[in-house]
Amino acid sequence: MRRFNLALLAAVTLAAGLAAPAQAHTGRALGIANCTGNACHFDVPPGTYDVKVLLGGDAASSTAITGETRRSLLPETAVPAGERAARSFTVNVRTPEGEPTGPDGTPGLDLALGGTAPALADIRVTPARHVRQILLVGDSTVCDQPADPYTGWGQQLPQYLREGVSVANYADSGESTVTYLSEPRLWATVQPLIRPGDLVLVQLAHNDKTTDEATYRANLETLVAGVREKGGNPVLVTPIVRRWFNSDGTLNNNTALLVNGLGVDHPAVIRSVAAEEDVPLIDLTAKTKSLVESLGVEGSKAIYLYNEKKDNTHTSMHGATVYAGLVRDELVARHLVPKGLVRVG
């Protein structure tokens, strides 16, 4: 990690609008003094924080930032030699820091520098104000996966959002609509956190293998009503497809399109509930089907964990990033998040 002279730091900091160092509850400044090597730790309580960074050094650099349980918070950013680039994002700090039914994790905020040539010149962490919150309710294809190579699309979504929008990912591996509503650490914990105006994205289907249609529909309606009860805005998301090809190169089969053993067409029910309840719909099933079919049998292997695990359900980091980009595009297209608060390209 490279530091530059104080005069230049002061000038660039002023120009970039970096906030004055805040004080943690321990009394220490929340700045670059909290970083060692390519890691930063900030002793802060659970909450939402704005992070402002200056990237770059004497040599050409390329830096990405991840945090907490492998969340992608800032995409890789190249900076020419001798220059600086100001970037910012908002991060949710919670306990447990990953999956709601998983281990607590490390207290405070932990960030890690990655990329081909990381260089951090300065950093400031301050409590966020007037933040827009996106809460995620989902399963293992959405959650903050603890171990590589597994990665949920919700884990990759934060990098597409600018300062002022946070992602609170309460998706959890193995959950169905039935278990998500019944497990105290899930819906009973999430619903009280919803504030007026918050977006709550719901993608639950992969594990509803034995849920009948009436129950599945009622569970979705319960989640929608529960979000609205708190003044939040529900968004229903159809599930990502499974990579299960027909001989003709299409995914037109029950396995790929999430039709369970009882014949319940999960995406169709979600679309129906969204229409009946006047809820915004992100048809991720249709989007991912189109993409996977366009990539073909071989090209789509990199989206999933086929090469690593012979897994046609869970996504690789690359695949999760691509799918998070599809969600980002839909949030903008449906005017659910202002375009100015979203990173494009």
Side-chain angles (χ1 to χ4, degrees):
M1 189 173 305
R2 189 180 301 276
R3 305 191 192 189
F4 46 93
N5 69 69
L6 294 178
L8 179 58
L9 173 59
V12 178
T13 299
L14 180 61
L18 292 175
Q23 298 294 316
H25 62 288
T26 59
R28 292 181 294 172
L30 299 181
I32 202 164
N34 297 80
C35 302
T36 303
N38 286 336
C40 303
H41 173 76
F42 301 94
D43 186 15
V44 296
T48 307
Y49 297 88
D50 290 332
V51 180
K52 300 177 186 291
V53 297
L54 281 175
L55 305 177
D58 293 342
S61 63
S62 188
T63 308
I65 299 178
T66 59
E68 299 295 88
T69 304
R70 303 177 58 239
R71 301 180 216 162
S72 292
L73 300 172
L74 190 71
E76 189 158 356
T77 303
V79 182
E83 297 186 15
R84 303 291 181 266
R87 296 291 186 271
S88 59
F89 55 87
T90 300
V91 60
N92 171 258
V93 177
R94 60 183 184 272
T95 303
E97 69 178 36
E99 296 180 88
T101 62
D104 284 353
T106 305
L109 170 61
D110 288 285
L111 303 176
L113 305 182
T116 56
L120 178 67
D122 192 39
I123 186 168
R124 291 291 183 270
V125 175
T126 58
R129 296 178 175 83
H130 311 298
V131 67
R132 297 169 184 259
Q133 182 169 245
I134 300 176
L135 295 100
L136 304 181
V137 169
D139 53 34
S140 59
T141 66
V142 184
C143 74
D144 287 348
Q145 289 279 2
D148 183 71
Y150 291 91
T151 311
W153 63 254
Q155 205 162 11
Q156 297 297 98
L157 184 60
Q159 67 181 303
Y160 289 122
L161 302 170
R162 299 183 185 277
E163 179 184 342
V165 184
S166 72
V167 175
N169 191 350
Y170 286 91
D172 196 71
S173 294
E175 306 301 341
S176 66
T177 57
V178 176
T179 60
Y180 203 95
L181 285 167
S182 62
E183 164 60 60
R185 291 171 292 179
L186 297 173
W187 184 238
T189 297
V190 175
Q191 190 192 19
L193 302 176
I194 300 171
R195 307 168 311 179
D198 283 348
L199 287 181
V200 183
L201 276 57
V202 178
Q203 186 216 277
L204 288 168
H206 279 274
N207 300 300
D208 279 281
K209 298 173 183 177
T210 60
T211 309
D212 64 79
E213 182 169 342
T215 301
Y216 186 65
R217 180 180 294 272
N219 288 344
L220 292 175
E221 292 170 347
T222 296
L223 289 165
V224 167
V227 173
R228 286 175 166 166
E229 179 184 328
K230 294 295 184 177
N233 299 313
V235 179
L236 292 179
V237 183
T238 59
I240 66 171
V241 294
R242 294 191 178 99
R243 184 189 163 276
W244 199 266
F245 283 93
N246 298 325
S247 59
D248 64 358
T250 68
L251 299 178
N252 296 319
N253 59 77
N254 288 355
T255 299
L257 300 182
L258 283 296
V259 179
N260 74 9
L262 301 178
V264 180
D265 186 331
H266 293 105
V269 176
I270 295 169
R271 294 176 189 121
S272 173
V273 172
E276 292 174 2
E277 298 290 331
D278 193 24
V279 173
L281 174 74
I282 294 178
D283 199 340
L284 206 50
T285 305
K287 294 286 185 181
T288 56
K289 177 179 184 292
S290 177
L291 175 62
V292 171
E293 287 181 341
S294 72
L295 292 171
V297 174
E298 290 302 316
S300 62
K301 287 179 179 178
I303 294 288
Y304 291 84
L305 291 173
Y306 180 85
N307 294 325
E308 299 88 347
K309 303 287 186 179
K310 296 296 186 288
D311 187 332
N312 292 307
T313 297
H314 297 96
T315 50
S316 63
M317 183 177 292
H318 166 65
T321 303
V322 171
Y323 285 179
L326 296 177
V327 174
R328 178 269 317 269
D329 294 345
E330 287 294 291
L331 291 173
V332 173
R334 300 184 181 284
H335 306 290
L336 297 171
V337 175
K339 190 173 183 179
L341 293 177
V342 174
R343 301 183 200 278
V344 297

